[in-house]
Amino acid sequence: SNSSILQILTIGYIRNYCSNVKIIKSLGGNSNYSLKFAGRGDADESLRDYVLSHSIENVEFSGFYDKKDEAAIV
């Protein structure tokens, strides 16, 4: 069931490509995990490209959000 999937959220300014790609490499493609990046930043486009080029399906990018919507995202 979906409730057994551990959801990992990174929210805010998406930076540090190296650290985030290590997490994606470790957990990407593992159906026990769902990774979500909410926000924009220096690294989000490169991370999106990495996920697309490696056909990783359990990583989602939702992009920019209004601060007032932050609680609903979390």
Side-chain angles (χ1 to χ4, degrees), residues 1-7 31-34:
S1 78
N2 213 16
S3 62
S4 63
I5 297 173
L6 181 60
Q7 297 180 343
S31 61
N32 293 317
Y33 298 93
S34 171

Side-chain angles (χ1 to χ4, degrees), residues 3-71:
S3 62
S4 63
I5 297 173
L6 181 60
Q7 297 180 343
I8 300 169
L9 172 66
T10 298
I11 187 167
Y13 193 80
I14 309 300
R15 63 178 145 263
N16 201 326
Y17 175 84
C18 292
S19 294
N20 283 309
V21 88
K22 283 180 185 178
I23 294 168
I24 293 169
K25 283 181 181 179
S26 295
L27 304 176
N30 184 329
S31 61
N32 293 317
Y33 298 93
S34 171
L35 305 175
K36 181 174 182 178
F37 292 85
R40 301 286 302 193
D42 294 341
D44 71 294
E45 287 300 324
S46 298
L47 292 169
R48 286 173 192 256
D49 291 344
Y50 180 88
V51 167
L52 284 173
S53 67
H54 291 83
S55 301
I56 301 170
E57 295 184 9
N58 65 328
V59 180
E60 175 187 347
F61 295 87
S62 61
F64 178 81
Y65 63 90
D66 285 326
K67 187 72 173 170
K68 66 179 176 53
D69 298 327
E70 192 169 78

